[in-house]
Amino acid sequence: MIKANIILKSSSIFTAVNYKKISGYVVISGSDIVGVFEGDVKQELIGSETRLYDLGDRTICPGFCDTHTFFPGYVIEHLGRNYESVCNVHDLEEMLRYELKNNSCGEAVFGNHLPEKFLNNTEVEKLLENLFPEKPVVLFKAGHGTCVMNNAARNAFGFTPQKCNAEALHKIMSIYLNDRNFIDNEFIEYMKMLNSRGVTSVKEMGFDDYYGFTNVLKDFDNNDKLSVRISFMSQPVAEKTNISYGQKMRKVFQSEFVQFAGYNQMTDGLILGMEGHLMEPYEGTEIYCKKEIDYEQLEREVLEADYNDFRFTLHSEGDGAFHQILKIYDKCKKVNGKLKNRHGITDLELTKPEDEKKMAGLGVFGEIYTQIYKYDTYDNWVKDYENMIGHERRCRYLNYRSLIDNGVKLAAATDLPLLLPSVPEAIYYGCANYCKDKERQINIENTISIDQMLCAWTINAQYAVEREGILGTIEAGKRADLVIFDRNIFDTPMEKILETEVEMTIVNGKTVYKK
């Protein structure tokens, strides 16, 4: 009989094969799961090198997969010097003079966490122009939604201090994503952060051709430095969908740790900004969507990708966009009525049951941001959406229950850095539907069970990245990507669930995080 490297014993094992919890033990040998067994550990499995963990009732799960992350956006928060502690313009000048002296060979000067009082400040703007008349300088406020910048930066990068959304920042990505002294360490810390939250796989978004970051992925993969499995997608921003790039990436990346996953594209925008495309007008108006959406061009790009057997995920916030996306997907290649290529829809804020059934029938998966209710109070959620879309539509906002009941396979996502992955948060805000004030539950009829939530983070998420054959469940032959919570997550009262932490994360049979 095989001698195990690791044995994890617990009375709360969630395999994600079904909703049954097993009291027993998981046996790991090398990078694989040998099996999960009920009852007491067989002594013949234990050798001199075996590590046996008796975990009591602490829950064991398959490793978590976040199906929508954005490292190039996350890392902007750490780009350049941190100016959070700067109190006045004089101190800012001293710090910038230091940058001028020590960053003379750099292509641009960046900074982060600049206090808001320095934004829209003519004294600061003059300071940047005087110190850096030719070199681009951009100092971001925390969250990098706004910044201060000089004229050289405006001319070089094409964005403005008021418009610093991720898509607008694509021209600076070729600078910092190729600064190996900076980006390698940041990527290592990024993976550590994900591992500490139980995340062992992600589907990463990268603009256009990723601006050279694929070289980092290749080096990390070749040198066994990855503790997170990466499926990356190209999101067209500065150019249209580049099929030849995808074909190249598909050949270059064929390991179990890095693969090219296809293409991602935006459609409509925020409902509260009236940029979400609705099937019926916004409340009290004749407006369906303030944003111009070229569905014909989107269809051409999706069908071209589908023809070349690449996958697409499209963003949908309003039920009108949801309907149009399904019409596009319905034109893609099918096998026995279901899509040949595994396309998805992300966000899914407002949907209608008849289209949910169509989505399930086509085999389109959904990516959901279940932690989103943490961002505002119950009263604000109700007031803002009632005013914008009325009571009936507000009540079916984020209706994950209806999507699942109509047969849609839902995968967990965060749109990181919008949210950071946290399964306890996902349960609290997505299974109980509490809001920021933690007092009242909103749209409680739309919630899903803890079992369903864990499946969204495990087997369904691996389905979304086409890795369900080797990941996503605890069963013999699967790779040993596992997470252990510090308690029984099923028996924890909801008011205590946010106190839950990851105790250990295992990737490919190796412990990559331990509390």
Side-chain angles (χ1 to χ4, degrees):
M1 180 174 284
I2 191 169
K3 300 295 183 182
N5 296 119
I6 298 174
I7 297 176
L8 305 172
K9 185 176 185 295
S10 171
S11 62
S12 177
I13 303 172
F14 181 78
T15 66
V17 175
N18 52 47
Y19 293 160
K20 178 185 176 184
K21 269 67 80 177
I22 291 175
S23 178
Y25 56 98
V26 181
V27 178
I28 299 171
S29 178
S31 62
D32 294 342
I33 297 169
V34 174
V36 56
F37 306 96
E38 297 188 58
D40 294 327
V41 178
K42 293 181 179 180
Q43 290 302 307
E44 55 264 37
L45 291 168
I46 302 174
S48 59
E49 303 296 321
T50 302
R51 285 172 287 163
L52 172 61
Y53 296 91
D54 191 340
L55 302 168
D57 68 346
R58 283 164 280 184
T59 300
I60 304 172
C61 298
F64 302 136
C65 177
D66 187 336
T67 60
H68 204 98
T69 57
F70 184 46
F71 171 70
Y74 170 85
V75 78
I76 293 174
E77 289 297 286
H78 309 140
L79 188 58
R81 191 168 186 175
N82 188 317
Y83 289 91
E84 186 176 20
S85 63
V86 178
C87 297
N88 53 56
V89 175
H90 174 74
D91 290 344
L92 179 61
E93 180 177 356
E94 290 299 308
M95 295 176 75
L96 287 170
R97 286 190 182 278
Y98 178 86
E99 289 296 303
L100 181 63
K101 179 180 178 181
N102 292 278
N103 194 39
S104 58
C105 296
E107 192 172 338
V109 174
F110 298 112
N112 63 78
H113 287 77
L114 186 72
E116 189 167 4
K117 64 182 178 181
F118 296 113
L119 303 177
N120 300 313
N121 186 315
T122 55
E123 190 176 0
V124 173
E125 292 169 2
K126 288 179 181 178
L127 176 63
L128 297 187
E129 295 301 335
N130 290 335
L131 290 179
F132 303 93
E134 296 182 359
K135 180 175 290 191
V137 181
V138 183
L139 307 181
F140 292 102
K141 179 189 169 185
H144 58 272
T146 54
C147 69
V148 294
M149 60 197 304
N150 62 358
N151 285 324
R154 284 183 174 89
N155 295 332
F157 303 138
F159 58 87
T160 66
Q162 292 74 37
K163 188 177 180 181
C164 301
N165 62 298
E167 286 78 8
L169 299 179
H170 70 273
K171 285 189 177 180
I172 71 170
M173 291 180 181
S174 61
I175 299 174
Y176 67 80
L177 290 176
N178 289 282
D179 181 356
R180 297 299 294 265
N181 291 327
F182 167 71
I183 207 67
D184 283 26
N185 289 332
E186 289 294 328
F187 191 53
I188 289 169
E189 292 303 312
Y190 177 68
M191 290 190 291
K192 287 180 180 178
M193 180 274 291
L194 292 172
N195 291 155
S196 73
R197 293 164 178 267
V199 175
T200 61
S201 304
V202 294
K203 180 149 68 67
E204 274 280 343
M205 304 300 127
F207 291 167
D208 302 318
D209 64 357
Y210 231 141
Y211 300 108
F213 186 68
T214 49
N215 294 328
V216 178
L217 293 178
K218 191 64 177 175
D219 288 349
F220 272 66
D221 194 20
N222 289 342
N223 291 288
D224 296 323
K225 292 170 65 177
L226 291 171
S227 63
V228 176
R229 302 177 193 270
I230 311 288
S231 300
F232 69 98
M233 283 191 145
S234 169
Q235 179 171 320
V237 174
E239 59 181 36
K240 292 182 174 62
T241 301
N242 188 335
I243 297 300
S244 61
Y245 168 73
Q247 291 169 333
K248 178 182 177 182
M249 291 299 100
R250 188 157 57 186
K251 291 178 181 178
V252 169
F253 293 102
Q254 297 186 359
S255 78
E256 286 191 4
F257 270 84
V258 189
Q259 66 175 7
F260 180 68
Y263 300 90
N264 177 74
Q265 187 61 285
M266 304 296 294
T267 52
D268 61 344
L270 295 175
I271 289 175
L272 292 183
M274 299 182 80
E275 290 192 338
H277 177 196
L278 303 183
M279 295 192 76
E280 302 295 333
Y282 282 88
E283 195 74 359
T285 77
E286 296 182 356
I287 298 170
Y288 292 82
C289 183
K290 283 187 174 180
K291 182 181 179 181
E292 292 292 328
I293 306 171
D294 191 344
Y295 285 112
E296 291 183 358
Q297 176 60 33
L298 195 63
E299 179 179 311
R300 284 192 289 270
E301 294 190 32
V302 170
L303 293 182
E304 182 185 16
D306 183 73
Y307 176 80
N308 287 279
D309 289 328
F310 287 110
R311 300 186 298 131
F312 236 101
T313 56
L314 296 172
H315 291 241
S316 162
E317 304 214 10
D319 52 8
F322 183 57
H323 183 76
Q324 292 297 324
I325 289 168
L326 290 172
K327 287 175 66 176
I328 292 173
Y329 284 161
D330 199 17
K331 297 178 181 179
C332 293
K333 294 185 290 188
K334 300 185 184 74
V335 176
N336 297 324
K338 290 191 179 292
L339 298 182
K340 178 178 184 291
N341 297 304
R342 204 170 286 179
H343 303 311
I345 304 176
T346 192
D347 281 2
L348 296 170
E349 294 194 12
L350 196 62
T351 57
K352 282 193 170 184
E354 53 267 34
D355 279 335
E356 294 168 3
K357 293 173 184 176
K358 182 174 182 178
M359 181 179 182
L362 289 171
V364 176
F365 67 86
E367 296 174 352
I368 54 173
Y369 306 150
T370 58
Q371 298 161 242
I372 201 70
Y373 276 131
K374 70 180 286 187
Y375 274 120
D376 214 338
T377 63
Y378 176 94
D379 287 339
N380 283 346
W381 277 109
V382 171
K383 174 177 64 68
D384 290 345
Y385 281 88
E386 293 259 346
N387 289 341
M388 193 63 66
I389 58 177
H391 180 74
E392 185 275 329
R393 286 183 289 188
R394 194 273 297 168
C395 288
R396 57 182 173 88
Y397 180 75
L398 299 182
N399 199 341
Y400 305 142
R401 164 55 50 211
S402 179
L403 284 157
I404 287 180
D405 286 349
N406 282 314
V408 176
K409 195 182 293 289
L410 295 181
T414 59
D415 201 12
L416 183 160
L418 172 68
L419 298 153
L420 294 182
S422 167
V423 170
E425 280 191 0
I427 291 170
Y428 186 80
Y429 296 108
C431 294
N433 276 28
Y434 282 105
C435 301
K436 182 180 180 180
D437 46 18
K438 300 181 174 66
E439 293 177 356
R440 284 176 287 175
Q441 296 165 285
I442 188 169
N443 294 350
I444 190 66
E445 65 278 4
N446 298 348
T447 59
I448 61 179
S449 69
I450 293 177
D451 304 271
Q452 290 168 329
M453 183 66 75
L454 290 178
C455 283
W457 280 95
T458 56
I459 184 59
N460 290 0
Q462 296 298 347
Y463 176 89
V465 296
E466 296 189 307
R467 295 290 185 92
E468 77 275 15
I470 60 170
L471 298 164
T473 59
I474 303 177
E475 56 185 324
K478 293 289 185 78
R479 299 294 177 267
D481 287 15
L482 300 165
V483 180
I484 301 160
F485 284 116
D486 64 357
R487 66 197 68 195
N488 186 330
I489 202 164
F490 299 99
D491 289 347
T492 301
M494 196 57 71
E495 61 269 19
K496 297 287 187 181
I497 203 76
L498 292 178
E499 299 174 7
T500 304
E501 294 183 347
V502 169
E503 184 164 300
M504 185 187 300
T505 305
I506 297 171
V507 175
N508 226 35
K510 298 178 182 177
T511 301
V512 295
Y513 171 77
K514 195 171 183 181
K515 181 178 161 185

